Amino acid sequence: MKGLVYNNGLLAGMIEKDDTGKYIFRYEDHYFNMQQAPHISLTLPKTQQEYTANELFPFFQGLLSEGINKDIQCRLYQLDEDDDFTRLLLTSREDTIGAITVKPENDELFRMLYGI
């Protein structure tokens, strides 16, 4: 699964969870090379183009709801409560806190699968 990461509507990069469970965030080439384009997070500076982690990056974790809102989202989309990556792709498409949004790479497939 992959998610397209936008900064104020401009494609900034892609986040994915690979088959081994590792998370990869990679700045899109054009965005990375634009000097005036800011990094998406202080923890993901544009000093390197790609980052990997064993857990969902804390920045992206911060875009997710907690508590009762998390419970509602998991019930609504029939998700495992530990599936933060799918929840990120389903719930961070718009109206996030700040300028960053995340949309599934194959948005139409997600819409069909989850009825959104």
Side-chain angles (χ1 to χ4, degrees), residues 73-87:
Q73 290 170 345
C74 290
R75 264 188 268 125
L76 178 67
Y77 296 118
Q78 300 177 2
L79 296 176
D80 181 316
E81 288 188 15
D82 296 325
D83 190 355
D84 289 338
F85 189 70
T86 302
R87 198 159 55 93

Side-chain angles (χ1 to χ4, degrees), residues 57-76:
F57 299 95
F59 172 75
F60 291 104
Q61 190 77 36
L63 295 176
L64 297 174
S65 295
E66 298 175 338
I68 190 73
N69 288 333
K70 175 183 176 180
D71 295 341
I72 291 168
Q73 290 170 345
C74 290
R75 264 188 268 125
L76 178 67

Side-chain angles (χ1 to χ4, degrees), residues 11-13 26-34 46 49:
L11 180 62
R26 185 175 197 288
Y27 279 105
E28 191 269 337
D29 291 340
H30 179 71
Y31 189 90
F32 183 76
N33 292 317
M34 286 176 38
K46 286 177 45 182
Q49 193 164 6

Side-chain angles (χ1 to χ4, degrees), residues 23 38 45 64 97:
Y23 295 90
L64 297 174
I97 296 173

Side-chain angles (χ1 to χ4, degrees), residues 4 32 35 47 54 64 113:
L4 303 175
F32 183 76
Q35 288 189 2
T47 55
N54 293 323
L64 297 174
L113 289 174

